[in-house]
Every structure is written in structure tokens, then in C-alpha cells.
Amino acid sequence: MSGLRVIPTWRHGQERLYVCLTDGRNVAWYDREAARVNLLSEASREDVLEVLGPFLTGPVAVGPPPVPTPAELARLTLHPDDDLAPNRPGEALQIALDRDPGPPHRLRPDPRRRALLAEQAVGEALDRLDGAGWHALHSVPLPGGDRVHHLAIGPGGLFAIHTLPARKQRVTVADPMVTLGRQDPRPLLRRVRADADRASYALTAEVHPVLALAGPADVRITAPLREVRVIADTEVESLARLGGVLKPADVEALHAMARDRNTWTRV
């Protein structure tokens, strides 16, 4: 076999090196993270390893592609327009700002930009949990124009996370009221619980409500909270210490279900 070429691509944030024939057909691919060369035909083994030689780092496994799990099959058949996994933290706010950035000069900063920075801080902390067996989805749309800011799925269970920008402000929580600085109290915890309830209905699984405060100067909780967590953005990674609720296969199945936009149309 001759004329093989190596084409680098990115899939779901991971680099793969595809080995292709001159007509563009794939005969193998090298997954760097898994340290594995996947062969579509055993007859091409020697030629594939030869052309990949300059790219291989350390020992690698060589063989046919692994059989996909049901969750992987569901993800592969998902239409790109229905896949929520590529959503960035604050995706909905970013799109709104791109469409209508507002006047160039304002007496006060656009509150949407503060909210976007808060969601990005919390979302980036959640994304760092990926190596601990967690998945995070961002800006999950709900009927009526609402959305779940972040959905975390991992060994410790499912969490619907609502982000509140609180940079350098004191936050007082008196369930269900939340007071930010000198602003009037708002029954925000009702909204946080309602989002979690809707997520539970969509996924047919228990989803825990979380209020994540971005950059607070101080947090005071006046009484025990009912079925809700209140954390700072610097505490998001503490979720990785939770475990014993979901098995890896359950995490993957729930993630495959949650990333499908159609899952959320019935709530």
C-alpha cells in the first residue's frame, strides 16, 4: 500500500491523526490521548505504522477500533444542531452580546457582561473536572426562554448550577431570599430549585440545585438551606470530591441524553 498521508484533525477538543488513501478514504487513526492506533484493516498495519512513525510518542496499542458503547452511539448519531456539548460557558449571553452589543459609551457597565464573566469563571472551573470523570454542559435551553446556566454530571450525581455575579460584594442568603450588596433581596433560590426540578423531569433522574457566586467578598448564610448548595466559584472543584452515586456507565448515558437539545423540549 502506498500514497498514504497523515491528516491532523480535532474532535471534541482532542487531536487525532487520520491516515488516508489518495482518494480521501480513512484506513486508520492515531488517538494521542488513548495512545492507540485504530486500524480499519489489519492488512494495512505495517504501512500505517510506517507513515505514522514520526508522530508516535512512546508505546502505543494497535488494533481495530473499540466497539462503541450505547452512549457513544447516541452521541455519534446526534445532529450537530441538536448537540449542546460544544456550548461555551455563557453561550447564550455571548450570542446576545454579539447580536446587540449595546451603545459604545454607557454610564454604567452592561450587566450582561458581568453575568458573562461570572458564567465563564464557573464554567471553566467545571470544565476542569473532566479528568475526574465529570461532564459539564453550559447554557442548556429550556422552553420559554429560560436556561440552566450549567449542568454537571459525574460520580457525585447531577447538579443544575445557577451563576450569580457577585464580584467584591457581600452576599446574604436567607432561604429563599438572596441579597447582593445593597440591592433588594430576591427569592433567587426558588429559581435555582425550579431549574433543578425541570432538569430532573427531563432526565428522569435526581438533579441537585446549586447557586454559584462569582467573586463574592463575603457570604453569610443565616439559616440551614433546604435541598440547595451555595458555593463560591473558587469552590466549584470541590464537587469532584463527591462520589458513590453514579457509575461511569450511568454518567456517560446521562451525558448523552442531556447533550441532546430535544431532551429539554418537554419541560
Side-chain angles (χ1 to χ4, degrees):
M1 184 181 295
S2 61
L4 294 180
R5 52 189 181 135
V6 178
I7 301 177
T9 63
W10 288 85
R11 291 173 60 86
H12 309 298
Q14 298 178 1
E15 185 183 17
R16 282 185 177 178
L17 299 177
Y18 282 87
V19 181
C20 302
L21 296 169
T22 54
D23 62 5
R25 286 181 297 157
N26 295 326
V27 295
W29 71 89
Y30 171 39
D31 187 331
R32 286 186 187 275
E33 185 167 323
R36 180 180 178 84
V37 176
N38 296 282
L39 297 171
L40 297 182
S41 172
E42 184 64 28
S44 63
R45 174 186 286 258
E46 292 185 6
D47 294 310
V48 166
L49 292 179
E50 181 179 355
V51 74
L52 281 176
F55 304 96
L56 300 178
T57 55
V60 297
V62 182
V67 177
T69 65
E72 290 171 332
L73 287 173
R75 181 173 70 245
L76 291 170
T77 58
L78 191 60
H79 191 282
D81 290 344
D82 293 328
D83 191 356
L84 301 177
N87 280 8
R88 302 163 293 177
E91 180 81 16
L93 286 170
Q94 187 65 69
I95 292 174
L97 285 165
D98 289 343
R99 290 175 176 170
D100 178 21
H105 302 290
R106 301 174 61 106
L107 295 177
R108 295 181 179 179
D110 191 328
R112 295 177 300 171
R113 297 193 180 278
R114 290 200 302 270
L116 175 59
L117 290 174
E119 289 191 38
Q120 288 173 336
V122 172
E124 288 166 5
L126 286 168
D127 287 340
R128 288 194 292 270
L129 300 182
D130 184 69
W134 289 74
H135 294 292
L137 297 171
H138 310 290
S139 285
V140 176
L142 300 174
D146 293 332
R147 62 191 176 91
V148 176
H149 291 177
H150 315 279
L151 183 72
I153 308 169
L158 294 91
F159 298 87
I161 302 168
H162 185 93
T163 299
L164 178 66
R167 186 172 181 271
K168 296 183 178 180
Q169 297 190 70
R170 171 176 292 181
V171 181
T172 303
V173 181
D175 196 356
M177 310 302 288
V178 177
T179 305
L180 186 64
R182 297 182 180 180
Q183 299 178 18
D184 292 334
R186 292 187 295 151
L188 186 58
L189 295 189
R190 290 177 184 165
R191 159 76 185 278
V192 177
R193 291 191 185 98
D195 287 349
D197 287 343
R198 295 177 76 178
S200 294
Y201 182 81
L203 300 172
T204 61
E206 184 178 14
V207 179
H208 305 283
V210 178
L211 175 63
L213 308 170
D218 180 59
V219 180
R220 190 168 70 120
I221 300 175
T222 61
L225 301 174
R226 180 177 58 84
E227 299 174 354
V228 66
R229 293 171 181 261
V230 176
I231 60 176
D233 55 337
T234 55
E235 301 170 318
V236 168
E237 295 183 32
S238 65
L239 293 175
R241 294 195 292 270
L242 302 175
V245 177
L246 295 177
K247 298 178 181 178
D250 296 328
V251 171
E252 295 302 323
L254 285 165
H255 179 238
M257 183 179 182
R259 67 188 293 174
D260 185 350
R261 185 183 301 273
N262 296 301
T263 297
W264 304 95
T265 58
R266 58 176 183 266
V267 296

